[in-house]
Amino acid sequence: QVQLVESGGGLVQPGGSLTLSCVASGRTFSTYTMGWFRQAPGKEREFVAVVTWMGATTYYADSVKGRFTISRDNAKNTLYLEMSSLKPADSGVYYCAFYTGGNYYITSSYAYWGQGTHVTVSS
């Protein structure tokens, strides 16, 4: 079983920035494609971004494209999500996850999840 711990969430004003981190257990972090999902109150968990295990390829949801950047530091077993130009619609619980095969954009393709970190974009 893989353990994932997200951090970096908090309250930020519209237009502001936050960087989320996800620390993974184990020595095989670099072999996993990793993704970020988020879930707003009353809504389904939705895809945000994914980065392949070598970091050469990334994909983003249209709603965050150009504002968010996903990256990884394999030496630190850490995944990052840099968020800028934040909007109230970006509010929710953000989760990192290990991709285990299938469609990048759906939750069933990720077998291991963190407990989430809350992001609130509000004045």
Side-chain angles (χ1 to χ4, degrees), residues 7-88:
S7 63
L11 176 65
V12 63
Q13 295 183 352
S17 300
L18 280 176
T19 298
L20 307 183
S21 300
C22 171
V23 179
S25 65
R27 301 195 308 271
T28 60
F29 174 82
S30 63
T31 70
Y32 286 89
T33 291
M34 299 285 296
W36 285 98
F37 286 72
R38 68 187 182 188
Q39 188 166 22
K43 295 186 177 181
E44 296 181 340
R45 191 170 299 185
E46 66 176 357
F47 171 80
V48 175
V50 64
V51 59
T52 62
W53 71 277
M54 294 187 68
T57 304
T58 59
Y59 298 99
Y60 297 91
D62 288 342
S63 58
V64 307
K65 197 172 300 181
R67 300 187 298 118
F68 289 15
T69 300
I70 186 171
S71 62
R72 63 197 302 160
D73 185 339
N74 291 335
K76 299 182 184 296
N77 288 343
T78 303
L79 178 74
Y80 301 99
L81 184 68
E82 298 176 75
M83 307 183 293
S84 63
S85 301
L86 285 163
K87 304 180 291 186

